[in-house]
Amino acid sequence: EIVLTQSPATLSLSPGERATLSCRASQSVSIYLGWYQQKPGQAPRLLIFDASSRATGIPARFSGSGSGTDFTLTISSLEPEDFAVYYCQQRNNWPLTFGGGTRVEIK
Amino acid sequence: QVQLQESGPGLVKPSETLSLTCTVSGGSVTSGSYYWSWIRQPPGKGLEWIGYIYKSGSTKYNALFKSRVTISVDTSKEQFSLNLNSVTAEDTAVYYCARIDYGAYTHYFDSWGQGTLVTVSS
């Protein structure tokens, strides 16, 4: 199975700052990687699919990039509601797998 | 807008079968190109895909669970279900039901239930 490694484990930033989250795949997943946001006690929410496409209703401050094995989720300017855990997920190979998550916390 | 709601026992004994149901409202399990999935999240850990079912009844499972898992659909009740047998403490997790809208997002999960905690303990 494809292993997704997310870094850093925790990112401490202030509102208004730029967040850059990384997801690295154990083998190429082409562009078939997505990102989710999860807040405490809530289900995950799809943000980005196929590396760079925003899901319906997702603000433009969220953007994704990458291909092959290296992917990035960027939040251009953190809003208070963006402090959460972010997961990547690949759909290139079975089984569908998720990364271990990056927590974005308030500095 | 579709809503998903998990239901089932919150406590299961070791070696027994974990059974959960997901009720779909605001939509139908038979409409569109939707795959109905189960995903779990052990306490403090990441997400793990278990498997999914299509309206036709065809299924796909994570090989990690394949020998223990069955996902079924009841179109008359707008529900789909998860059975996981021979459970151990390692199966303790929040279990989510989720939808894949294949037409819009292929194999990403665009709608989720709130999740239900299942604890395996005697």
Side-chain angles (χ1 to χ4, degrees):
Chain A
E1 83 176 34
I2 292 179
V3 176
L4 300 177
T5 302
Q6 292 188 240
S7 62
T10 304
L11 199 52
S12 299
L13 295 168
S14 301
E17 288 193 296
R18 182 183 189 90
T20 303
L21 288 67
S22 173
C23 178
R24 177 163 290 178
S26 58
Q27 63 189 78
S28 176
V29 296
S30 185
I31 63 164
Y32 302 126
L33 187 115
W35 293 91
Y36 298 82
Q37 175 193 69
Q38 186 178 33
K39 297 179 181 178
Q42 296 185 18
R45 176 174 70 145
L46 179 65
L47 301 174
I48 301 287
F49 65 100
D50 289 351
S52 61
S53 297
R54 273 189 300 277
T56 301
I58 301 304
R61 65 180 181 273
F62 292 93
S63 63
S65 63
S67 65
T69 60
D70 292 302
F71 298 84
T72 300
L73 173 70
T74 301
I75 310 171
S76 59
S77 178
L78 283 164
E79 297 287 339
E81 62 267 28
D82 298 337
F83 292 91
V85 178
Y86 292 83
Y87 294 96
C88 55
Q89 177 232 319
Q90 64 82 24
R91 71 165 183 94
N92 192 62
N93 285 70
W94 299 105
L96 305 176
T97 53
F98 293 85
T102 290
R103 179 180 306 277
V104 178
E105 64 175 26
I106 299 176
K107 187 173 182 180
Chain B
Q1 184 174 347
V2 70
Q3 294 190 334
L4 291 76
Q5 179 65 58
E6 306 88 352
S7 60
L11 181 64
V12 180
K13 290 183 168 55
S15 80
E16 295 190 345
T17 297
L18 181 160
S19 296
L20 295 173
T21 296
C22 182
T23 300
V24 178
S25 58
S28 172
V29 297
T30 59
S31 65
S33 299
Y34 301 134
Y35 292 79
W36 304 97
S37 297
W38 289 96
I39 296 161
R40 74 180 188 180
Q41 185 171 34
K45 296 187 178 180
L47 298 157
E48 194 167 46
W49 173 71
I50 299 170
Y52 67 49
I53 190 165
Y54 189 58
K55 57 187 177 184
S56 63
S58 64
T59 55
K60 193 163 189 72
Y61 299 130
N62 186 333
L64 190 65
F65 302 97
K66 197 165 187 179
S67 62
R68 299 196 292 137
V69 67
T70 303
I71 298 175
S72 59
V73 64
D74 186 336
T75 57
S76 67
K77 294 182 178 178
E78 300 293 356
Q79 294 177 335
F80 62 103
S81 299
L82 169 71
N83 277 351
L84 184 67
N85 59 38
S86 305
V87 297
T88 70
E90 292 189 345
D91 294 310
T92 294
V94 174
Y95 285 77
Y96 294 99
C97 58
R99 185 185 79 172
I100 290 171
D101 180 349
Y102 192 84
Y105 300 119
T106 57
H107 285 98
Y108 301 102
F109 306 95
D110 72 319
S111 295
W112 297 66
Q114 281 302 295
T116 188
L117 174 63
V118 179
T119 302
V120 179
S121 175
S122 55

